[in-house]
Amino acid sequence: MTAYAVHAAPPAAAAPDGDDEEPPPFRETALPHAALDASWDALELPAATKRALLRTLGTALALARAGVDPACVPGGRLAILHGPPGSGKSTLARAAAHRLAIEHGAAYAGGANLVEVQAAGLHSKWLGASPRGVARVFDRVAALATDDGCLTF
């Protein structure tokens, strides 16, 4: 049994660029979050698959904290989910991030964050706005990733 405190504030969306009405390119959620609290248990996956996924991702986090070079580990610190639209990739990613934040978040003084890219926010009718949106996403993720005290999904 693990005791943890959840965040209840709604996810923070990035502010749109300038005065246009374009949707923000990403949403950032502090983890663990109340909205995701039952998400792991609600996944319709075999228990062995859930355990294997958490063990694999948890090992990657432990190796990263130990300072092991990701190039020396098969898969490094990367998990890629693929499949057709509607197959549950985003749901699985949110639930796994929430669960890992519960299990490993105490090791990170800066807390844990989930950054979700909003594809509609990356597309723009204005010349040059789409690459700026992509750059904003990567800038924010890079800022979070370079903070050793922060866990970012």
Side-chain angles (χ1 to χ4, degrees), residues 125-139:
K125 62 184 176 184
W126 304 109
L127 181 64
S130 295
R132 265 195 315 275
V134 172
R136 287 180 62 202
V137 170
F138 279 97
D139 288 346

Side-chain angles (χ1 to χ4, degrees), residues 76-142:
R77 297 181 208 154
L78 180 66
I80 298 177
L81 303 174
H82 64 91
S87 61
K89 298 176 298 290
S90 296
T91 301
L92 178 59
R94 283 185 204 104
H98 177 76
R99 191 72 192 168
L100 289 167
I102 291 168
E103 294 182 6
H104 298 272
Y108 298 90
N113 295 296
L114 173 65
V115 178
E116 296 179 83
V117 177
Q118 306 295 317
L122 294 177
H123 179 65
S124 176
K125 62 184 176 184
W126 304 109
L127 181 64
S130 295
R132 265 195 315 275
V134 172
R136 287 180 62 202
V137 170
F138 279 97
D139 288 346
R140 181 61 185 149
V141 170

